[in-house]
Amino acid sequence: MKVKTRFAPSPTGLLHIGGARTALYSWLFAKSQGGEFVLRIEDTDTERSTQAAIDALMEGMTWLGFDWDEGPYYQTKRFDRYNQLIDQLLAEGKAYKCYCSKERLETLREAQMANGEKPRYDGHCRDSDEHHADDEPHVIRFHNPQEGVVAFDDHVRGRIEFANTELDDLIIRRTDGVPTYNFCVVVDDWDMQITQVVRGEDHINNTPRQINIYHALGAPVPEFAHVSMILGDDGAKLSKRHGAVGVMQYRDDGYLPEAVLNYLVRLGWSHGDQEIFSREEMIKLFSLDNISKSASAFNTEKLKWLNNHYIRTMDPVYVASHLEWQMNDLGIDYKNGPALTAIIGMLAERCHTLRELAQQSRYFYEEYEAIDEAAAKKHLKAAAREPLALIRTKLAALDSWETEALHQVIQDTATELNLGMGKVGMPLRVAVTGVGQSPSIDAVMQLIGKERVLARLDKVLALLPAAE
Ligand code: GLU
């Protein structure tokens, strides 16, 4: 049987890290088995579902590269199908109309709680022969078996069993005629021929109810893999406070999708002690049975480490295509200076994100507005005038603007003035870049170009205090 998995988000917000990881595992499993991946939008909660959330989900999935083979399907477009099956269950006596009032249910609940019991529907309308008018408001409840156990072998958590006595007759169609989540999911997974359901462990309690519905419909039951929660690095449930933002925020913050994917795949799945996985490798090695049972803790440092790895090692032309986004976002005119690939070669080592890289690249493209105060105070003193003036003369005379020649100029200046390299290199760095830290100044000057370097030196020389 062809493997078919799905990702079935409710469009009520952004695609968060937890959802992205579920989508990744589901997508990876399909790809690893040569199967298909379906996107289904579970929008039956019409009050909370929005088009903006649907767009954001798809944007996040596309950015991460989760291509879907089918869909997006929308549950709101399938009401006829759900209702047809609910009517069929009614006709077969596998579902029934429930007229219990809110008040009755509330009283029942309070009494059960007072007795220390778990609140559950008592089946009042299941066998009732009370007469009701056709238009009397009612819900439809599923007639859950009252004996025996429901068991399934979860790929992550092993065998799970629930006694049917623990499950009450759940509502499958509300008073307003809208079918409910647990029913729609079953019909969809059946109609869409889903073979493995990968989803968050918050759905474990739904699974036995859904299995009973599969049985009632005469549908084959898929396999399940319930993925554990993600915790913040302080052990609390992941929340905004821990940076649990939508995945597009990671793009904005300067992460490559490859780094986020690699991070997510390792967050709850392992293959020996391997840390770095290309997309192809993940697909080749992924298996549902190696997903960890315990909750995983989010670790921003590790994500940064991975991002740095990918910035350094991926094809600079590809990295540049992502850096462009940052440059545009920061309003840096990157056409007015060295190629982005050269900047990546120079700054990748020292940056964890493309955001940082873009920010640090400003002096290659723009004139700085002000020199970093601390750097100026330390390195642009009166004593800097002589080495800067001499170096300016030597640089102006250069025919070849190559790193080696530039290095030689710095060295010659130091020798001539009998100064340490630092006494020449540091004022030069601050004058040329406006900051106290940069990669090797000869290579930086090479990229910035002669004209700009000389102009910046002139500007600084004009401002420097006279020699003491
Ligand atoms: N729509 C559900 C959610 O977003 C997922 C349902 C499922 O995967 O079965 O939590």
Side-chain angles (χ1 to χ4, degrees):
M1 197 167 171
K2 194 179 184 86
V3 162
K4 212 167 165 195
T5 64
R6 46 57 160 197
F7 179 51
S10 305
T12 54
L14 301 169
L15 176 60
H16 290 107
I17 281 295
R21 186 185 58 163
T22 306
L24 170 64
Y25 287 0
S26 189
W27 175 82
L28 274 179
F29 184 66
K31 298 283 145 183
S32 73
Q33 303 296 307
E36 282 176 6
F37 178 64
V38 174
L39 174 60
R40 181 170 78 228
I41 306 291
E42 305 209 317
D43 55 350
T44 51
D45 184 348
T46 44
E47 306 242 306
R48 293 178 60 223
S49 303
T50 64
Q51 186 58 44
I54 295 173
D55 295 344
L57 280 166
M58 292 208 249
E59 187 187 27
M61 289 186 65
T62 306
W63 185 69
L64 289 169
F66 303 155
D67 44 342
W68 49 94
D69 302 290
E70 260 181 47
Y73 292 109
Y74 294 86
Q75 289 189 323
T76 44
K77 297 202 176 134
R78 291 177 40 81
F79 280 0
D80 287 350
R81 171 68 176 152
Y82 309 136
N83 281 323
Q84 172 211 339
L85 288 168
I86 289 174
D87 292 341
Q88 181 187 314
L89 291 183
L90 272 173
E92 292 170 353
K94 294 174 180 167
Y96 59 92
K97 295 179 182 174
C98 169
Y99 297 89
C100 290
S101 65
K102 260 203 191 115
E103 293 69 33
R104 179 181 184 275
L105 294 175
E106 192 46 39
T107 314
L108 175 68
R109 190 185 145 82
E110 277 164 17
Q112 287 170 331
M113 304 265 279
N115 282 341
E117 294 168 26
K118 216 163 110 189
R120 55 204 301 280
Y121 182 61
D122 61 354
H124 176 79
C125 291
R126 193 188 301 140
D127 307 306
S128 149
D129 46 15
E130 286 167 25
H131 180 75
H132 294 277
D134 279 352
D135 58 354
E136 196 174 327
H138 62 271
V139 298
I140 309 289
R141 287 188 186 269
F142 175 64
H143 190 155
N144 197 76
Q146 287 164 277
E147 293 161 359
V149 291
V150 200
F152 60 99
D153 291 303
D154 191 272
H155 277 281
V156 180
R157 318 190 72 88
R159 186 141 188 98
I160 299 182
E161 284 188 5
F162 284 82
N164 271 321
T165 47
E166 280 180 53
L167 312 170
D168 57 2
D169 292 349
L170 87 151
I171 296 173
I172 54 176
R173 183 157 73 204
R174 297 198 301 245
T175 319
D176 59 5
V178 174
T180 59
Y181 158 72
N182 274 302
F183 189 77
C184 301
V185 162
V186 171
V187 176
D188 287 345
D189 285 338
W190 177 29
D191 284 352
M192 293 163 200
Q193 298 177 306
I194 301 303
T195 51
Q196 279 82 11
V197 169
V198 181
R199 61 184 172 197
E201 69 175 1
D202 46 329
H203 287 287
I204 282 194
N205 289 333
N206 289 324
T207 305
R209 301 169 184 280
Q210 293 176 8
I211 290 176
N212 284 336
I213 299 177
Y214 280 104
H215 290 320
L217 291 170
V221 181
E223 295 172 21
F224 295 93
H226 287 94
V227 181
S228 64
M229 275 198 313
I230 301 179
L231 305 176
D233 35 21
D234 56 0
K237 190 164 187 269
L238 195 67
S239 69
K240 281 216 179 88
R241 191 161 50 87
H242 303 103
V245 287
V247 293
M248 294 316 286
Q249 185 67 44
Y250 290 95
R251 189 258 329 252
D252 297 359
D253 291 349
Y255 290 90
L256 286 168
E258 286 71 17
V260 176
L261 274 190
N262 195 148
Y263 182 73
L264 286 177
V265 81
R266 282 286 294 109
L267 194 62
W269 174 83
S270 57
H271 179 76
D273 49 15
Q274 187 172 341
E275 288 294 352
I276 306 285
F277 295 87
S278 68
R279 197 180 288 259
E280 293 66 35
E281 241 175 331
M282 285 180 205
I283 292 175
K284 205 168 100 206
L285 299 171
F286 188 76
S287 98
L288 290 177
D289 299 318
N290 283 345
I291 297 177
S292 153
K293 235 197 290 206
S294 40
S296 332
F298 195 84
N299 177 342
T300 310
E301 289 312 308
K302 186 164 171 199
L303 174 58
K304 283 187 177 167
W305 174 78
L306 281 167
N307 203 41
N308 171 263
H309 167 84
Y310 283 102
I311 293 175
R312 278 189 292 111
T313 57
M314 287 191 87
D315 178 1
V317 175
Y318 172 78
V319 179
S321 68
H322 286 271
L323 182 59
E324 256 178 55
W325 188 93
Q326 296 293 340
M327 300 302 261
N328 287 329
D329 199 52
L330 290 172
I332 302 173
D333 180 5
Y334 63 89
K335 303 231 163 71
N336 182 30
L340 289 181
T341 47
I343 294 297
I344 291 165
M346 186 144 297
L347 296 176
E349 233 14 90
R350 50 180 62 224
C351 294
H352 286 106
T353 66
L354 293 175
R355 189 77 177 173
E356 262 175 74
L357 207 154
Q359 280 161 342
Q360 290 188 23
S361 77
R362 265 194 195 278
Y363 57 75
F364 289 98
Y365 300 96
E366 299 172 349
E367 297 316 305
Y368 52 78
E369 274 168 25
I371 295 178
D372 175 78
E373 229 173 279
K377 211 160 156 204
K378 193 154 172 216
H379 301 293
L380 295 185
K381 293 190 271 220
R385 172 175 289 282
E386 198 180 15
L388 285 184
L390 181 57
I391 216 162
R392 199 249 176 245
T393 312
K394 286 186 187 293
L395 289 175
L398 274 183
D399 292 330
S400 139
W401 194 257
E402 292 310 324
T403 308
E404 234 170 78
L406 296 170
H407 182 76
Q408 198 57 52
V409 164
I410 303 171
Q411 203 152 37
D412 291 349
T413 307
T415 315
E416 233 173 284
L417 298 179
N418 203 16
L419 291 170
M421 281 292 270
K423 288 269 184 276
V424 179
M426 279 315 293
L428 178 64
R429 165 173 287 121
V430 178
V432 171
T433 66
V435 290
Q437 279 175 342
S438 80
S440 186
I441 189 61
D442 42 19
V444 167
M445 289 200 297
Q446 197 279 322
L447 276 188
I448 292 178
K450 187 171 186 176
E451 208 178 309
R452 269 186 168 150
V453 166
L454 294 183
R456 289 180 195 177
L457 281 172
D458 288 342
K459 211 159 119 189
V460 168
L461 280 166
L463 294 171
L464 268 188
E468 288 134 25

